Amino acid sequence: MSEAKGTVPVATISALGLTQIIGYGTLYYSFSILAPGMAKDLGMSLEQVFGVFSASLFVGGLSAPIIGKQMDRIGAATVLTIGSMLSALTLALCAWSPSIVVFALAVVLIEVASGMVQYQAAFAALVESDPKTASRSITYLTLIGGFASTIFWPISAALMGYLTWREIYLAFAALNLFVCMPLHLWMARKGRAAVAAGTKRAREHVVGAVSPERRRGAMIVVSAAFAILGFTLASILAHMVPMLGDLGLGTAAVVVGSLFGPAQVLSRLINMIFGTRLSPPILAVIAAALMVVGIIILGVSGSWLPGAVAFAICLGLGSGINSIAQGSLPLYLFGSDGYGTITGKMAAARLALGAAAPFAFAAAMQSLGIGLSLFATAALGVVGMAAFASLAMTTRRGLVAAE
């Protein structure tokens, strides 16, 4: 893989892979590990700390369309650069926070910064770099980024034995400032140099499969489908380990839950090797189907260990493919023009709805029980799967008619 025209931009993917691991690890995955220390230090309950986090996810969703428009206006790599600096500043603000109010404000700002440095922006940067190879590049990037939780969960837990959560956040701020920001700045300068040299003009445009007159309807369907699947996944992930314990798996719940991350990476590796002939709409259908099947298996099997293992693996496989579809499906349907704006609108619906998922699923488990809650969540996932299937059939008919 070289940087020549028509090939995957390996240097860009490598740089983004490192920054995605750091971005997700420091801004997202570490929070659940550090939350108990935050709660104790600030005199809050753990539920209140996670309530602040959920509110920040909602605000982050509202900011996503604005961030997406800026990507199209000034370039995704420039947004990534600014986002890295903002990530460092907000982590430092959170580490300093002398009160609950400042802490809550800092957590909200961290989530806004996250929208500028995580997958939404990284996918746009790959489209900006070379739309023709962006779908493959997104697959490679998600394969690397999938190791964020595997790396930063144990790192955060280990550091808690030596440092306070405030000191850890200061260290994480340094990673964003001194590792991520220079790499993003290099990408931004490289992109400007390519434009100045006239080497980027020939590879700047990809035409979407959806005709202009059907664009609005397709946008609504795909945004709703991703939001529904995001809600489904967030509902389960927020309660996975304690839910498995309540089902009767005991100490095995942690082991079963840990299978989710490797399954995500495995699905991306399989797709990278064998999935090149599958269109993004079909990938989205497969992702939804795997998540739904996994949830149904757990609902049926209950405390049966093999069933729980199958659930965690299916959910991880589906989640891994879904991450790829979030980047490749908008490019396939709507093309490269305005990609940042389009994905920003989709992210807004997905993040805003996903923010309510942990509370909604917790309430459902209390009133309906775990089994019925799982089946209700699976039914919701079927709706998302049906929406993706309708897109797959519609675009296929359109492509056949155009031939």
Side-chain angles (χ1 to χ4, degrees):
M1 294 185 297
S2 67
E3 297 285 356
K5 180 180 176 181
T7 60
V8 171
V10 64
T12 300
I13 293 173
S14 299
L16 280 174
L18 178 57
T19 65
Q20 290 304 288
I21 288 175
I22 293 174
Y24 273 98
T26 61
L27 302 173
Y28 183 76
Y29 287 116
S30 66
F31 191 89
S32 61
I33 304 297
L34 304 181
M38 296 172 176
K40 183 178 180 181
D41 184 27
L42 293 166
M44 303 171 65
S45 68
L46 192 59
E47 290 76 13
Q48 288 174 325
V49 171
F50 278 104
V52 170
F53 187 60
S54 293
S56 74
L57 290 174
F58 181 77
V59 175
L62 297 180
S63 68
I66 299 171
I67 295 171
K69 288 180 180 179
Q70 292 306 309
M71 290 179 202
D72 289 334
R73 191 174 72 86
I74 64 176
T78 301
V79 170
L80 283 164
T81 305
I82 298 170
S84 294
M85 182 172 62
L86 184 60
S87 296
L89 291 174
T90 53
L91 283 168
L93 176 64
C94 193
W96 169 78
S97 55
S99 67
I100 294 175
V101 173
V102 176
F103 169 78
L105 175 63
V107 172
V108 169
L109 291 176
I110 285 173
E111 190 56 38
V112 173
S114 297
M116 301 172 70
V117 297
Q118 292 176 350
Y119 275 153
Q120 178 194 348
F123 292 162
L126 291 174
V127 172
E128 190 177 275
S129 175
D130 189 350
K132 295 292 184 182
T133 62
S135 290
R136 276 186 294 155
S137 298
I138 287 169
T139 300
Y140 296 137
L141 178 62
T142 56
L143 177 63
I144 300 171
F147 289 99
S149 61
T150 306
I151 293 172
F152 270 88
W153 273 339
I155 285 178
S156 300
L159 288 175
M160 283 295 289
Y162 303 94
L163 304 172
T164 67
W165 72 270
R166 295 177 187 270
E167 292 167 338
I168 293 171
Y169 258 16
L170 286 175
F172 287 170
L175 284 177
N176 281 275
L177 186 63
F178 297 116
V179 178
C180 296
M181 193 175 76
L183 288 173
H184 292 153
L185 183 60
W186 166 76
M187 289 174 52
R189 288 176 174 173
K190 179 184 171 188
R192 286 194 292 268
V195 171
T199 58
K200 207 173 180 181
R201 296 290 101 187
R203 55 179 186 176
E204 202 170 53
H205 184 71
V206 167
V207 178
V210 175
S211 60
E213 61 270 15
R214 291 176 41 243
R215 189 181 180 97
R216 180 176 176 80
M219 179 71 179
I220 293 173
V221 171
V222 74
S223 296
F226 276 128
I228 289 170
L229 265 297
F231 182 92
T232 301
L233 184 61
S235 296
I236 301 298
L237 288 182
H239 302 280
M240 180 184 285
V241 174
M243 177 181 65
L244 292 172
D246 291 341
L247 283 172
L249 290 169
T251 56
V254 177
V255 178
V256 171
S258 68
L259 296 174
F260 174 81
Q264 279 196 111
V265 176
L266 178 62
S267 70
R268 293 160 183 170
L269 181 61
I270 293 172
N271 181 70
M272 183 177 71
I273 299 172
F274 301 108
T276 53
R277 294 185 179 180
L278 296 176
S279 68
I282 296 298
L283 280 179
V285 173
I286 293 172
L290 283 167
M291 285 191 274
V292 168
V293 168
I295 295 169
I296 291 174
I297 288 174
L298 183 64
V300 172
S301 63
S303 61
W304 188 48
L305 183 59
V309 169
F311 149 75
I313 292 174
C314 285
L315 193 72
L317 292 173
S319 175
I321 298 173
N322 186 59
S323 296
I324 298 171
Q326 285 175 12
S328 61
L329 184 56
L331 179 64
Y332 175 87
L333 293 175
F334 309 114
S336 56
D337 288 349
Y339 179 87
T341 301
I342 291 169
T343 54
K345 291 178 180 177
M346 290 183 181
R350 186 180 73 251
L351 294 172
L353 190 60
F359 293 103
F361 192 72
M365 285 193 293
Q366 285 185 347
S367 59
L368 302 175
I370 295 176
L372 285 178
S373 299
L374 287 170
F375 290 127
T377 304
L380 193 62
V382 170
V383 175
M385 183 174 65
F388 283 134
S390 70
L391 280 171
M393 291 185 291
T394 302
T395 53
R396 181 176 177 81
R397 285 197 298 267
L399 291 173
V400 170
E403 289 178 352

